[in-house]
Amino acid sequence: MGSIISFPSMYPDEDFRSILFRYQLRSPHVSYLKIRKELLGKAFTQMIIFPENLMSITTQLGVSKDFILNVIDNHSFYPFFRPFVNRDLHNDFTHKFYFSEPSRGLSSITKDLEKQFLAEEIRYCSSCLLNDYEVYGEVYLHRTHQFSFLTVCPVHEIPLIHSCSICNVPFVSDNANLMLIEPKCPNGHDIIEDNKSEWLDTFKYEFLDDIQTLMEAKNLSLNYIFQKLMVNLGNRGYIHFKGGTIYKKNLIADVIDFYGREVLGELGLNINELLRANAITNLFVPDQMRKQIVFYILLMRFFSGSVTNFLKQDESYFFPLPFGLGPWVCNNRICPFFNQKVINKCKRKVHEWITGYFTCEHCGMTYYRKGFPSVEDESRYSIETMGSLFTHKAIIYFESGININQIAELLQNNRRIVRKYLKPYRMELQRHLMTMEQKNAHDEILQVKLEVAATTQKTKLELCKETVLEAIRILGEGASRPQIRRYNIHRYDWIMKHDRVWMECHLPARRKMSRMLNLETLDDEMYQLVSAVVPKIWENLPQKKITKKEILKELPSYVEGRLRQYSDYLPKTIQLMENSLETDDHYLVRNFPHVVDWFNKSRYKKLSLKLIQNNFKSYKKCSLSVIQWVEGQIDQINNS
């Protein structure tokens, strides 16, 4: 048993400072410093607002830890601040309450918290003083009366007082070692009950209810409040659709207009301080939310009418899908389905705003619309590509001898567009003709050289021919040209160079490859190549994100060039490539085991979202749903 023999009963809503003083009255010690050291293990000279080392009291009294929880929840101001501090800071406070103050600068944090809500003077209600003295035989300090925004008692609606109306002496000393014992001031003047009622603003009653709601919510966490605030901000248009920007100045302006500067001032909210650049930067930063508690409570009321409603509401944040769900119309006049809603897919690209791309499966035309219209206006669009149907018809008309102007009229377009889509075909045709001319000229030159060299190289020529015939005889009639060449590469190449005509007569036939691409079937051929590779990539996921570059690595080298040069002729292939890419969110979730492996090998002891974002920049750009998933994984890792 310790030196504490008994401890005073704690009254409803009693401030912890009052409990310490009433223990002091019952102690045999004269010095309040000795009393505080006996009770709390340290001779505090300053006023004790937040209790400390309560484990010492429970040990000496022989009571359970429920005593500590009772002091913290019902006789300190910490339950009000608790929902706005992060987990690490909460652990520091808890350690302070149970044992002693940790060396983490808590004193400066508690002072900041005190300044936000507690009045500078310790105050009483004269009616409460008389009632308490009559019921308990002594007076005590009410916790509720100490909130700075209250000027009158919410029960009796009379002004709160802090000094004698006769001698003007404060009721409580600076270090709270002297308080009222009875309804008399320190000089013995009676404190008379004030009969002049002073009306308390209904809003302040409601605001006090909000405070009590927060104080009673023992399991309320900072992360929960932050997530609900983000949902409400998003649903009310205060968050950019990409999720990275909060329109803080607009929000503050709306809050000021909603409450009025006078009301905000009475609640202790400094508007000028709130509008400072540093304060705006720290808004909605979870670790900094404790510095603007008044603002966040007002924000909950602004969104839901009260803190109780705010905590009860179950909202989810979603951004309306730009351009709707479809289907969308085809705007190609030569398409059989012109002006009909046959487009079922929309590819949306996010930049400073949103662009939607719409491709018709029947004609290949792709058009796009920019922005995020509140009302769908499908008549406003820009053409990305006219598509394969337009190009195919233009080529057919061109090959049949129709001039450009007539083609433009037939395709219901202008000659500039027709020239643009015929240009690749005409260039390919020209290259093909040039290649054929060069081949003919080369054959003529080669024939002359062979005739000149025939007399001097007849012996070697005959030897090489005999070798080729020997290879054909030994390998059999089914042998291919590459197999025959491997029989004697040197002599095969030499005879091919000096007597190609003879070689073509004796070698097995080969499939002639046209150097001119068939643009009509090119899309189907390329589509088959890509569709064969994509499933293999997704079955054996690479370490990197699946991008267009990763897919092209698995394809023949010429594919990339054709995709770039003939993109207008490959709508299906390009669409398949785009649909096969991996989203940022999917990759970040898939890559998380790599993050965990890095953390296990690092020097860090505790994993956090900020630590991940500092070392893996891609997690700074992920969506809110992925952030929530990552935080859930972090909690499991830290608690395991």
Side-chain angles (χ1 to χ4, degrees):
M1 183 68 69
S3 57
I4 302 177
I5 305 301
S6 65
F7 195 80
S9 299
M10 295 178 283
Y11 298 133
D13 193 41
E14 184 175 10
D15 193 317
F16 182 70
R17 293 170 290 186
S18 175
I19 298 172
L20 287 181
F21 174 69
R22 291 195 301 109
Y23 174 81
Q24 179 180 323
L25 295 177
R26 292 159 172 75
S27 174
H29 297 298
V30 178
S31 171
Y32 79 94
L33 292 178
K34 288 185 178 180
I35 294 169
R36 292 184 177 182
K37 185 172 183 180
E38 173 187 80
L39 197 63
L40 303 175
K42 181 179 177 181
F44 291 93
T45 58
Q46 302 296 323
M47 184 184 300
I48 304 171
I49 297 178
F50 288 89
E52 183 173 332
N53 200 21
L54 295 175
M55 200 67 187
S56 172
I57 300 177
T58 61
T59 302
Q60 295 187 69
L61 288 176
V63 295
S64 69
K65 293 182 180 179
D66 291 339
F67 168 83
I68 298 178
L69 296 176
N70 182 30
V71 171
I72 295 173
D73 291 337
N74 301 311
H75 302 286
S76 79
F77 294 97
Y78 182 66
F80 170 68
F81 305 115
R82 179 170 49 203
F84 299 94
V85 297
N86 59 34
R87 185 178 299 176
D88 292 339
L89 193 54
H90 171 71
N91 292 336
D92 288 344
F93 270 110
T94 303
H95 184 80
K96 170 187 175 180
F97 297 148
Y98 276 73
F99 303 104
S100 61
E101 185 174 358
S103 57
R104 293 175 67 106
L106 267 188
S107 58
S108 62
I109 294 175
T110 54
K111 287 180 181 178
D112 289 339
L113 296 176
E114 294 165 16
K115 288 179 181 179
Q116 290 188 59
F117 263 90
L118 300 185
E120 294 182 1
E121 308 90 0
I122 293 180
R123 303 177 302 180
Y124 292 90
C125 165
S126 58
S127 294
C128 288
L129 283 173
L130 296 173
N131 291 342
D132 293 342
Y133 191 71
E134 182 178 349
V135 174
Y136 302 110
E138 57 185 335
V139 301
Y140 68 91
L141 193 66
H142 286 247
R143 183 175 55 165
T144 302
H145 294 159
Q146 312 315 313
F147 289 115
S148 58
F149 68 91
L150 289 177
T151 56
V152 301
C153 174
V155 177
H156 301 103
E157 293 191 336
I158 60 174
L160 296 173
I161 54 178
H162 62 87
S163 61
C164 178
S165 60
I166 299 174
C167 62
N168 206 32
V169 172
F171 295 145
V172 179
S173 63
D174 292 339
N175 55 10
N177 71 313
L178 291 176
M179 291 185 179
L180 295 182
I181 303 173
E182 55 184 343
K184 291 184 179 181
C185 82
N187 290 331
H189 299 124
D190 290 332
I191 299 175
I192 302 173
E193 184 175 5
D194 195 338
N195 295 322
K196 294 181 180 180
S197 296
E198 185 175 318
W199 179 71
L200 180 63
D201 188 355
T202 304
F203 176 75
K204 290 187 177 180
Y205 271 119
E206 295 174 351
F207 194 74
L208 183 60
D209 287 340
D210 292 334
I211 291 176
Q212 291 173 343
T213 298
L214 290 173
M215 295 177 76
E216 292 170 2
K218 298 180 181 180
N219 297 322
L220 194 59
S221 68
L222 172 64
N223 183 61
Y224 181 76
I225 290 179
F226 175 76
Q227 295 296 341
K228 288 188 71 69
L229 286 173
M230 291 299 103
V231 168
N232 279 271
L233 288 171
N235 287 337
R236 288 157 181 79
Y238 290 107
I239 299 181
H240 190 275
F241 67 88
K242 291 173 66 175
T245 302
I246 301 175
Y247 303 119
K248 298 176 183 178
K249 291 185 179 179
N250 294 345
L251 176 65
I252 294 173
D254 290 347
V255 170
I256 294 174
D257 291 340
F258 182 78
Y259 292 107
R261 288 179 174 267
E262 183 178 353
V263 171
L264 298 179
E266 290 178 358
L267 294 177
L269 187 64
N270 189 327
I271 301 300
N272 295 329
E273 180 68 24
L274 185 63
L275 291 172
R276 289 179 56 189
N278 186 46
I280 290 178
T281 301
N282 288 330
L283 278 182
F284 302 108
V285 176
D287 290 345
Q288 301 295 325
M289 286 178 64
R290 67 176 185 274
K291 296 182 180 180
Q292 295 290 351
I293 296 177
V294 180
F295 176 77
Y296 294 113
I297 295 177
L298 290 172
L299 204 55
M300 296 179 202
R301 295 185 58 82
F302 177 68
F303 289 143
S304 308
S306 69
V307 170
T308 301
N309 292 338
F310 177 83
L311 297 177
K312 286 182 178 179
Q313 286 176 347
D314 186 16
E315 291 188 18
S316 59
Y317 171 47
F318 68 94
F319 188 73
L321 189 65
F323 311 111
L325 296 173
W328 301 271
V329 299
C330 174
N331 291 306
N332 191 351
R333 294 182 180 277
I334 66 172
C335 179
F337 299 93
F338 168 63
N339 211 26
Q340 296 182 33
K341 292 189 174 183
V342 295
I343 300 177
N344 297 312
K345 291 184 179 180
C346 171
K347 178 184 175 183
R348 298 167 180 86
K349 287 189 176 180
V350 180
H351 32 88
E352 286 302 318
W353 208 233
I354 297 178
T355 302
Y357 292 85
F358 309 86
T359 302
C360 177
E361 296 180 356
H362 304 283
C363 67
M365 176 183 178
T366 300
Y367 65 90
Y368 62 89
R369 303 212 310 269
K370 290 186 176 181
F372 180 60
S374 56
V375 178
E376 293 295 316
D377 183 5
E378 299 195 13
S379 63
R380 300 181 63 182
Y381 63 91
S382 299
I383 296 175
E384 177 78 4
T385 175
M386 291 302 300
S388 57
L389 178 63
F390 183 92
T391 305
H392 178 67
K393 286 192 173 185
I395 292 174
I396 291 176
Y397 291 147
F398 180 77
E399 289 179 340
S400 63
I402 301 175
N403 63 43
I404 298 297
N405 290 334
Q406 292 174 325
I407 295 175
E409 186 176 349
L410 289 170
L411 296 179
Q412 302 183 52
N413 220 305
N414 59 64
R415 56 181 294 158
R416 182 181 63 82
I417 297 298
V418 173
R419 285 183 180 277
K420 173 184 175 182
Y421 284 88
L422 279 176
K423 184 177 179 180
Y425 169 78
R426 296 169 75 180
M427 290 178 64
E428 182 68 20
L429 182 62
Q430 186 177 4
R431 281 196 296 269
H432 177 70
L433 294 174
M434 290 178 62
T435 301
M436 294 300 295
E437 291 175 358
Q438 290 173 357
K439 179 180 180 301
N440 293 335
H442 179 268
D443 289 344
E444 292 176 2
I445 294 172
L446 179 60
Q447 185 63 31
V448 173
K449 288 183 176 180
L450 287 174
E451 292 174 357
V452 172
T455 55
T456 58
Q457 298 178 347
K458 186 174 181 179
T459 304
K460 184 173 183 180
L461 186 62
E462 292 176 351
L463 179 61
C464 291
K465 287 180 180 180
E466 290 175 0
T467 303
V468 171
L469 293 173
E470 180 182 331
I472 294 173
R473 186 174 60 256
I474 293 174
L475 296 174
E477 294 182 358
S480 64
R481 291 192 177 196
Q483 290 174 329
I484 296 171
R485 180 176 180 270
R486 284 195 292 270
Y487 186 84
N488 192 314
I489 295 175
H490 172 73
R491 292 183 178 179
Y492 181 97
D493 290 346
W494 193 92
I495 192 68
M496 184 64 77
K497 179 179 179 181
H498 293 89
D499 197 346
R500 190 181 188 91
V501 175
W502 183 90
M503 290 287 281
E504 292 295 340
C505 292
H506 292 81
L507 290 175
R510 61 180 176 181
R511 179 169 165 260
K512 294 184 178 180
M513 299 293 291
S514 174
R515 295 192 179 183
M516 184 175 178
L517 295 174
N518 187 342
L519 298 179
E520 295 183 18
T521 61
L522 182 60
D523 197 11
D524 291 333
E525 295 170 2
M526 298 286 284
Y527 184 92
Q528 292 299 325
L529 281 175
V530 176
S531 60
V533 167
V534 167
K536 296 179 181 179
I537 296 176
W538 278 94
E539 288 175 4
N540 302 291
L541 292 170
Q543 185 173 354
K544 294 182 179 180
K545 179 184 172 183
I546 300 176
T547 61
K548 186 177 180 181
K549 183 178 179 181
E550 292 296 318
I551 296 175
L552 288 173
K553 283 182 181 179
E554 305 300 322
L555 292 166
S557 58
Y558 64 84
V559 172
E560 183 175 3
R562 289 185 180 178
L563 285 172
R564 184 171 56 252
Q565 187 172 359
Y566 302 102
S567 58
D568 291 337
Y569 302 90
L570 306 171
K572 284 201 311 181
T573 305
I574 292 174
Q575 186 67 37
L576 175 61
M577 292 279 286
E578 296 293 343
N579 293 340
S580 303
L581 302 181
E582 186 175 16
T583 64
D584 290 339
D585 285 356
H586 184 277
Y587 174 69
L588 293 178
V589 171
R590 177 168 70 84
N591 189 54
F592 193 76
H594 174 67
V595 176
V596 176
D597 183 59
W598 164 84
F599 170 73
N600 291 333
K601 296 177 181 178
S602 70
R603 60 182 176 83
Y604 300 105
K605 302 299 182 183
K606 190 172 184 180
L607 187 61
S608 67
L609 178 61
K610 187 175 182 180
L611 179 64
I612 293 174
Q613 290 176 336
N614 286 341
N615 290 275
F616 299 88
K617 305 300 182 184
S618 55
Y619 284 87
K620 290 185 176 181
K621 301 177 181 179
C622 57
S623 65
L624 182 60
S625 61
V626 173
I627 290 178
Q628 293 173 339
W629 181 86
V630 170
E631 288 179 339
Q633 298 297 311
I634 292 172
D635 289 339
Q636 293 180 16
I637 293 171
N638 289 335
N639 294 329
S640 62

